[in-house]
Amino acid sequence: MAPDYRTRKYYKSNYSFLWIDRKGIDGRADSLIDCLQNITRIGFSKNKFRLPRIESDLQRLRNLDFDGSDNSINKVLARLEYNLTKAYFRYVSGQRFGFMNPKYVLNHVDVHEQKENTVTYRTLYDIKTERAGDRFYRTAMSMIREDSIADFIRKAEPNDEVYDSLERLLQSPGLSRMQRNRILVNMERCRWRMQDNPQRHEKYVLVNIPSFHLRAVDGDKVLTMRIAFGSNKNKTPLIVSAIKRMDVNPQWVMPKSIVRKSVVPQLGNINYFTQNRYFIRNRQTGEHVDVSSVSPEMLESGDYFVIQRGGEGNAMGRIVFRFDNNLSIYLHDTSSRTIFDRSVRNVSHGCIRVEKPFELSKFVLAKKDDKLVDRINYSMHADVSPVNMKKEEMTERMMLVADTLDRSRLIGSVNIKPMVPIFILYYTMYPDASGKIETFSDVYGYDSLIYQQLRNYI
């Protein structure tokens, strides 16, 4: 583990002692021991922090109880110096940043591509998260020298309402091993110092993947809805961002994987493209390409987009909620509304489908604007199939529809100001709107991955 590496590196470099001086060891060691006495409260083992050995050696030193074997004065002092630093580094870095690195562990789960000597993995954790670096460990050592250990440890410990609730729950009598492990892994999630968290905001959108629900919070007002998200093969990544725009009746640019699997086999079937309202566009020039002239090689080259026109039947539904991220993930409506009747809804290619898109559109607006809401509502229900089509491409029915459209009420995009924070997270235990802890299934199997890392301390 990283704190152990730091400990070894420090002493192999022959740097000065941190705990021992000419007078022996003073109360700084006792300050650390006092903090570590409560390590079992957070589910960890005193042995994993060398506490019994530290206490034994400290007692031996104070009683001058040495012998000529493994308990010579030199060996006792050496053990104390090393074990105190190791226990201290383990505790303060773990409580401050987490006892595992989520970015490393979760981004080495699903293989994306495997070649002769290289393996690339899918990005499943895309949240800026602080980690303990040189500066932190230098500060930690300076706290020993300044005799400010207790205060430094106190500031390193999580200051999080969810963490506190889980820690109290861990003290409950009669917990099964499975229940304890689940609490421990969710306490660990609370330690990760992400770039932002919901508790800092009055208004935000929270997608907790294992809950299969979205929660939109604005002070005391809470809007909840069902969601569908990425399948186990195409897991929805964890993201922290802010909703910046809504696009009404968006076009759907197909991912290359879907083009290869679903579209390429249909080349030559003009009806397939017509019925699904697909068209092909040259990536460089932006020009539409005659479907009958397209070959499989052209589509697989990546030089051409397959796009579905916006409107009824579009895979993204009638509205999409955009936010900056590195993985082209967003919230959107869906044309397959029956998906929300299922209890298990991990079915998408990674994006998140929302049950109540119109209600969510009203939520993200900064203030009530009846005219804007009316335009969004009208645009989400109007037949917009003739929009952005050339006259010669329209059928007779489309021409009739075009004549009845109230284009003054149509709206394409709405910028969200101020932007609304969005958190796509993964907790298998999390408080509901009233603060009561709920438990959810570990749909992606992340709990076991985290627990394997925490076993180093349990």
Side-chain angles (χ1 to χ4, degrees), residues 224-422:
T224 61
M225 64 189 73
R226 295 185 170 199
I227 58 167
F229 52 85
S231 65
N232 279 31
K233 186 178 179 181
N234 300 284
K235 297 179 178 69
T236 296
L238 310 189
I239 294 169
V240 171
S241 188
I243 298 173
K244 66 177 184 179
R245 192 177 80 242
M246 297 183 288
D247 293 336
V248 186
N249 292 312
Q251 293 184 335
W252 178 44
V253 180
M254 279 194 191
K256 196 173 179 179
S257 59
I258 300 179
V259 170
R260 187 182 298 115
K261 180 180 178 181
S262 302
V263 178
V264 169
Q266 296 292 337
L267 286 177
N269 183 356
I270 304 300
N271 287 335
Y272 170 80
F273 286 84
T274 302
Q275 290 171 4
N276 289 288
R277 296 185 297 115
Y278 295 158
F279 66 93
I280 298 174
R281 188 171 70 201
N282 186 299
R283 188 170 188 166
Q284 288 187 335
T285 66
E287 294 179 355
H288 289 209
V289 180
D290 185 352
V291 173
S292 62
S293 68
V294 175
S295 66
E297 291 75 21
M298 290 170 66
L299 289 187
E300 291 178 357
S301 70
D303 294 332
Y304 298 86
F305 289 129
V306 179
I307 302 172
Q308 185 181 38
R309 297 183 188 277
E312 187 67 29
N314 185 280
M316 292 198 297
R318 291 305 196 105
I319 190 167
V320 58
F321 302 84
R322 309 261 186 202
F323 45 91
D324 290 337
N325 65 93
N326 299 315
L327 304 168
S328 299
I329 297 297
Y330 34 77
L331 309 180
H332 65 84
D333 181 20
T334 178
S335 56
S336 304
R337 305 296 305 171
T338 56
I339 188 66
F340 298 113
D341 296 332
R342 303 184 193 177
S343 57
V344 178
R345 300 182 292 279
N346 51 324
V347 296
S348 80
H349 285 83
C351 286
I352 298 166
R353 307 173 191 177
V354 296
E355 180 187 19
K356 304 173 184 177
F358 179 59
E359 286 82 350
L360 186 59
S361 73
K362 291 189 290 183
F363 171 85
V364 298
L365 295 175
K367 57 183 179 180
K368 188 176 180 181
D369 185 332
D370 292 338
K371 185 176 180 180
L372 178 57
V373 169
D374 174 73
R375 292 184 68 191
I376 294 172
N377 187 40
Y378 176 79
S379 300
M380 287 181 64
H381 293 89
D383 186 345
V384 296
S385 54
V387 175
N388 296 325
M389 289 191 70
K390 298 177 181 178
K391 195 170 183 179
E392 57 269 23
E393 295 177 325
M394 293 187 193
T395 64
E396 186 175 342
R397 188 196 70 82
M398 284 186 182
M399 290 182 182
L400 291 173
V401 171
D403 290 338
T404 61
L405 269 178
D406 184 352
R407 293 180 181 266
S408 66
R409 293 175 69 191
L410 288 180
I411 193 166
S413 293
V414 180
N415 290 327
I416 307 302
K417 294 182 180 180
M419 295 189 291
V420 177
I422 178 169

Side-chain angles (χ1 to χ4, degrees), residues 186-202:
N186 285 285
M187 287 174 66
E188 172 64 8
R189 290 182 173 109
C190 295
R191 295 186 184 103
W192 301 342
R193 297 298 175 112
M194 301 185 299
Q195 66 196 69
D196 200 359
N197 63 64
Q199 287 74 32
R200 296 180 185 175
H201 302 276
E202 183 173 353

Side-chain angles (χ1 to χ4, degrees), residues 166 170 175 179-187 429:
L166 291 169
L170 188 64
L175 291 175
Q179 288 171 323
R180 284 184 59 82
N181 292 350
R182 179 167 285 179
I183 294 170
L184 290 178
V185 298
N186 285 285
M187 287 174 66
M429 298 184 77

